[in-house]
Amino acid sequence: MAHWRDTMEQLVRDRERALLSYAYLVCGDAVQAQDLVQDALVRTFSRERKGLTAAKAEGYVRRAITSAFVDGYRRRQRWQRVQHLFTPADVAPDRFGQVEAGSDIHEALATLPPRPRACVVLRYFDDLTIGQIARHLGIAEGTVKRYVSDGLDQLQLALGPLDDADAAAATADHADVTERKLS
Amino acid sequence: MRLSDSMRGAADRAPIDDASVDTSRVAARVKRNRGIHTAANSIVGAGAVVVIGLGVWGASPAGDSDSMLASEATTEALMDQSGGAEESGDRADAMIAEQWMCGSDFSPDDSGWTYGDTSGVDYSIGDFTDDHQVTETVTALRPVDVLTATDYVIVWDGIVVGRLIQDSPIMYGPADEPLLRPDVTGERLDPEGDMSTLEQPIGIDAVNCWDGEPLPAGKYEVHLAKTLAYPADEEDAGESAPSPEPSADTEPSADTAAAPDNASSDAATSGIATAVPLPEPSQLPEIFRISTEPATLAIDGDPIDDPFGEYLTPIEPEPLPQPTELPDNALTPEIARQLFEASRTDTTWDMVAGSHRWLMHDYNTSEYLTYGCTWGVEPTAAFPASSSSMDLLELEVDHPRSIALSYGYVVDGNPEVNSTVSNVSDYDIYNYWDSSVPSLYLARDGVVVAEAYPELLTLPGSAEASAGSGDEAIEPLIWPTPEQQVFASGASTETTSLWRDVRRCDTTNEPAAVEPGSYTLLALTTLNVSSGGGIIAYDSAEQMPELIEPRPADDAVDVSPGYTGDAEQFDWVDLQLWTSMGTVTVTP
């Protein structure tokens, strides 16, 4: 068996649920999550990457999931299409400022626009720094900060106060600065 | 409640029980992307590998490393060939692509022309008769099924000028699995049976394969070939028994009775096989292909020079339809760079009301200048010395001159902030997704002290107050301009927002209150200009070229932190427009 395929199948065998769960967190739809994971696998393994193990590949695939999600959003030419694809119909009526406190995290995430949502997931699920998110999504760090900040505010409307929100939003910058200083 | 913990818990509870990853489909797409599946000629070679592997797969015991390798080659190559049909959902009808096309070079050593273990048969032909018939003789040395009629190619000067190629007996199932076509019937030749030899005349249609015109006078080579298979039961009896062993003490089921291994019992007595069945993939027989030495076909008449010149003269390829590129007045990253450079200034921005400056994050040069909140730790708090005063977008914000703050919230109602972003350049901005809702910053002595993000109240380009009602009020942060993301030269987009709060952002001592006093109000909007993003328009889907990411030119180890395939195709700049709105007074 070709090495890449062996690696891919091992990854899917061992981490299928984790990847699908992650993709679901990113997009909020099981069917789309499935497509995102498959697209991400295609993106990851379409390039020759020597020495790629299943463990390393998982990192690539996770990044590709968010890339695919945001890219898909970017490339739609009509917002209605974007709305249909990225905001499940049953949660589409939710609006900023209109989610009731105590909502499920999935519902709260569903109220976020795609790019802020991707930024929040990358920041708080993947523990990426602002700079890493900016480089990954190809947007300015300031934009990422804004998305994260707005996303957190919106999530707090739905979920109530978040212990890590204030500090993390602020220290995101600290972390970046620290990262740069250390490097 | 910690968000990170909540998100991880949510991921664990994600309702994805019905979702699954189809690795076969992924593998097929990967293979296609890797560029192995390219052109018809390469498919010929791949097809040969396919079927060679297929034969070994059916004949060799499980666990044999070579056969496993060949099996893998089979599967992957088959998936290559099914790739084109995969997207259309017609995979079940996918077959090996057309081979040995008119005008193509032909070599009998082509691994697609013959393959597999041909030791089970003798194949020979006689001489051509005047009416262009030749007798072929297939003699079985062990049981074989003849799966196809005879293929032939007429070769002139090493080039295919005439041909008759039968359909491949192989098709691909819904999961890209190789299958024998259901309409394939076989003739069983068995040295122990009544029919061990097949002898039949083959008529050669002496016409060219471009337009069916008679072949001009001359001598041609005719190569014949046909596809056969060793029945699975024949291999069972051999030394290399295949893994799927039929039950010896049970009657074959209705399904398995149609399999070649079971059909052979009748065939052995009658000498003529019944239809070769549609076996399970694991029961595919070992398929092979035999060919003859070339026979000479002589066409009488006066030879002519360059008999196929009119067909073989290269035709200037019709240029690919040019995509309807972005119009000349579209803003591109390069133009944005030029505009930026043309108005670049190294003077300190004085932040006079109405003045503006641009900062740029350039993908090409990695130049990245930033300004804004420092949170008390950013090394540079002042506005970058190098910026641009280009006229690209114009941001106007109608804001209150004074706001009262209490614990960071604006009291005495939420004042409205009306903002207008105008494209004041000569260029149309395509794929414009950036918000017309500005971020607001309070600055003192050129350093940002606090930030604010007004809440959208009305939609861009809409006079309706629709906050919180109606499907239109969904996306407050990222909003395309009208006309499908094209922000035309001279166009404007307006929004009305509520100014609800101000957050101190120049210190680590949170929450710190914004001190009363006068500040310079700065408004920020951003603009991303990229060369990609799917804006290229084609008149029809057929005009679209296949986009295959080229393989890396070298084998260098990729140490990039994440997937960067798409990013490599794009060029972009991220631009920040900072505009001074004058003074705003904060009162307690």
Side-chain angles (χ1 to χ4, degrees):
Chain A
M1 177 177 287
H3 177 70
W4 66 265
R5 188 161 184 207
D6 193 17
T7 304
M8 181 193 73
E9 294 195 343
Q10 182 188 347
L11 173 62
V12 172
R13 190 166 55 247
D14 297 342
R15 301 292 294 165
E16 180 181 29
R17 182 171 175 86
L19 293 173
L20 287 169
S21 299
Y22 178 75
Y24 183 88
L25 199 63
V26 170
C27 71
D29 179 82
V31 174
Q32 193 188 352
Q34 180 176 292
D35 292 342
L36 277 178
V37 172
Q38 294 191 167
D39 288 348
L41 287 167
V42 171
R43 287 183 175 208
T44 301
F45 288 98
S46 288
R47 291 184 65 187
E48 184 68 32
R49 302 175 193 275
K50 284 194 172 180
L52 186 66
T53 64
K56 287 182 182 175
E58 182 174 354
Y60 282 98
V61 173
R62 283 177 182 266
R63 295 291 73 76
I65 285 171
T66 49
S67 292
F69 176 67
V70 173
D71 287 351
Y73 169 76
R74 283 174 175 155
R75 293 170 188 175
R76 298 298 183 273
Q77 295 195 358
R78 289 179 180 274
W79 166 244
Q80 291 299 330
R81 290 185 185 175
V82 178
Q83 175 192 357
H84 169 68
L85 289 173
F86 295 106
T87 308
D90 56 343
V91 296
D94 286 345
R95 303 288 184 273
F96 264 61
Q98 290 199 333
V99 180
E100 295 180 0
S103 298
D104 178 80
I105 183 76
H106 287 306
E107 294 179 4
L109 283 172
T111 66
L112 298 184
R115 282 199 278 191
R117 179 176 182 149
C119 289
V120 167
V121 171
L122 290 168
R123 179 76 188 94
Y124 293 104
F125 189 89
D126 295 287
D127 291 329
L128 297 191
T129 66
I130 297 295
Q132 288 171 329
I133 297 169
R135 286 190 291 275
H136 173 58
L137 297 181
I139 55 181
E141 290 188 24
T143 308
V144 174
K145 291 173 186 173
R146 178 180 167 194
Y147 286 156
V148 170
S149 174
D150 286 335
L152 282 174
D153 289 347
Q154 173 62 14
L155 290 177
Q156 288 190 99
L157 286 177
L159 302 170
L162 297 171
D163 294 341
D164 47 3
D166 290 338
T171 55
D173 302 271
H174 306 182
D176 275 356
V177 172
T178 305
E179 183 186 60
R180 283 198 293 270
K181 286 178 178 175
L182 290 174
S183 62
Chain B
M1 179 178 185
R2 287 183 60 81
L3 179 59
S4 54
D5 294 340
S6 298
M7 294 179 76
R8 292 190 174 95
D12 290 339
R13 297 190 304 274
I16 43 85
D17 289 342
D18 293 333
S20 63
V21 177
D22 186 342
T23 54
S24 296
R25 296 193 65 176
V26 172
R29 292 171 61 192
V30 170
K31 291 290 289 183
R32 189 169 72 248
N33 288 352
R34 286 186 167 222
I36 297 174
H37 162 87
T38 50
N41 283 342
S42 61
I43 286 175
V44 172
V49 177
V50 167
V51 188
I52 290 170
L54 184 64
V56 179
W57 183 7
S60 300
D64 180 300
S65 60
D66 290 341
S67 65
M68 290 294 287
L69 190 63
S71 174
E72 177 60 21
T74 299
T75 305
E76 294 189 0
L78 288 177
M79 285 192 296
D80 271 355
Q81 298 179 6
S82 68
E86 176 218 357
E87 298 297 344
S88 63
D90 293 330
R91 286 170 297 170
D93 294 328
M95 294 187 298
I96 291 177
E98 194 73 349
Q99 304 170 7
W100 307 293
M101 303 293 290
C102 271
S104 63
D105 292 337
F106 177 82
S107 168
D109 298 328
D110 182 338
S111 56
W113 187 244
T114 59
Y115 51 77
D117 176 10
T118 60
S119 63
V121 293
D122 280 338
Y123 185 34
S124 61
I125 57 172
D127 295 327
F128 275 103
T129 63
D130 292 340
D131 57 353
H132 306 151
Q133 286 201 354
V134 65
T135 299
E136 70 169 8
T137 304
V138 181
T139 302
L141 306 178
R142 49 187 164 127
V144 294
D145 288 321
V146 181
L147 299 183
T148 65
T150 302
D151 298 332
Y152 67 76
V153 291
I154 304 173
V155 177
W156 172 85
D157 198 20
I159 297 170
V160 175
V161 296
R163 64 194 292 274
L164 176 65
I165 305 297
Q166 313 291 335
D167 287 341
S168 167
I170 300 169
M171 57 177 281
Y172 309 101
D176 291 325
E177 72 276 22
L179 302 169
L180 277 180
R181 284 202 342 258
D183 58 334
V184 168
T185 58
E187 269 185 306
R188 171 65 52 87
L189 302 180
D190 188 344
E192 303 297 325
D194 293 340
M195 183 172 177
S196 62
T197 299
L198 176 67
E199 184 175 303
Q200 60 184 356
I202 303 296
I204 302 297
D205 200 3
V207 297
N208 77 43
C209 50
W210 284 282
D211 53 14
E213 289 295 309
L215 293 174
K219 289 187 177 181
Y220 301 87
E221 283 185 355
V222 178
H223 298 257
L224 289 81
K226 60 201 312 166
T227 305
L228 304 90
Y230 295 116
D233 61 339
E234 192 273 339
E235 289 301 322
D236 286 348
E239 293 181 357
S240 56
S243 52
E245 294 187 12
S247 173
D249 55 356
T250 57
E251 288 293 324
S253 66
D255 291 336
T256 57
D261 49 348
N262 297 302
S264 64
S265 58
D266 290 336
T269 54
S270 67
I272 299 175
T274 55
V276 172
L278 182 67
E280 294 298 321
S282 60
Q283 296 175 310
L284 278 175
E286 178 183 350
I287 298 176
F288 64 100
R289 190 170 162 89
I290 54 175
S291 63
T292 65
E293 291 296 317
T296 300
L297 173 66
I299 305 295
D300 294 334
D302 296 328
I304 59 176
D305 293 334
D306 197 12
F308 300 99
E310 62 177 307
Y311 305 108
L312 297 173
T313 301
I315 300 173
E316 283 298 317
E318 196 169 313
L320 283 174
Q322 292 299 311
T324 307
E325 297 286 358
L326 293 175
D328 291 340
N329 67 332
L331 183 66
T332 64
E334 190 52 39
I335 292 174
R337 289 188 189 99
Q338 292 171 4
L339 292 174
F340 189 93
E341 289 301 325
S343 300
R344 185 187 279 272
T345 175
D346 294 327
T347 59
T348 303
W349 184 29
D350 54 13
M351 298 186 182
V352 171
S355 64
H356 70 273
R357 288 296 174 86
W358 287 89
L359 298 178
M360 180 168 66
H361 178 195
D362 191 335
Y363 169 69
N364 274 356
T365 63
S366 297
E367 177 185 10
Y368 183 30
L369 298 174
T370 187
Y371 176 66
C373 294
T374 63
W375 303 103
V377 296
E378 288 283 2
T380 55
F383 197 85
S386 181
S387 59
S388 175
S389 58
M390 64 178 171
D391 291 322
L392 180 51
L393 295 182
E394 183 177 277
L395 175 60
E396 297 177 2
V397 179
D398 182 11
H399 61 89
R401 301 300 167 190
S402 175
I403 55 172
L405 291 181
S406 176
Y407 297 99
Y409 289 94
V410 179
V411 295
D412 295 334
N414 295 309
E416 286 190 359
V417 174
N418 298 307
S419 57
T420 303
V421 177
S422 303
N423 180 356
V424 295
S425 74
D426 295 331
Y427 301 93
D428 293 341
I429 302 173
Y430 285 76
N431 214 14
Y432 181 76
W433 280 99
D434 293 281
S435 173
S436 57
V437 182
S439 307
L440 300 179
Y441 295 86
L442 303 185
R444 177 171 282 173
D445 299 328
V447 175
V448 169
V449 173
E451 62 177 357
Y453 298 102
E455 299 278 349
L456 186 73
L457 185 62
T458 59
L459 297 174
S462 168
E464 299 175 8
S466 51
S469 63
D471 291 340
E472 300 84 4
I474 291 172
E475 170 58 279
L477 287 180
I478 311 168
W479 192 265
T481 56
E483 287 86 38
Q484 304 171 25
Q485 302 171 235
V486 179
F487 198 12
S489 173
S492 297
T493 179
E494 300 178 11
T495 57
T496 299
S497 310
L498 294 181
W499 193 350
R500 287 181 170 170
D501 55 9
V502 177
R503 182 164 59 165
R504 188 83 178 264
C505 67
D506 65 336
T507 175
T508 56
N509 300 321
E510 288 195 280
V514 178
E515 297 174 358
S518 293
Y519 295 86
T520 300
L521 179 63
L522 302 177
L524 167 68
T525 191
T526 59
L527 173 64
N528 177 275
V529 184
S530 68
S531 61
I535 298 299
I536 294 175
Y538 292 88
D539 293 335
S540 67
E542 289 72 23
Q543 294 179 352
M544 294 180 66
E546 184 176 6
L547 298 176
I548 296 178
E549 184 180 333
R551 300 184 67 178
D554 55 42
D555 291 327
V557 176
D558 184 357
V559 294
S560 58
Y563 176 78
T564 57
D566 275 351
E568 291 171 356
Q569 301 173 22
F570 298 127
D571 180 21
W572 54 261
V573 293
D574 242 347
L575 296 160
Q576 301 173 37
L577 169 60
W578 290 88
T579 305
S580 172
M581 298 300 159
T583 302
V584 65
T585 302
V586 173
T587 61

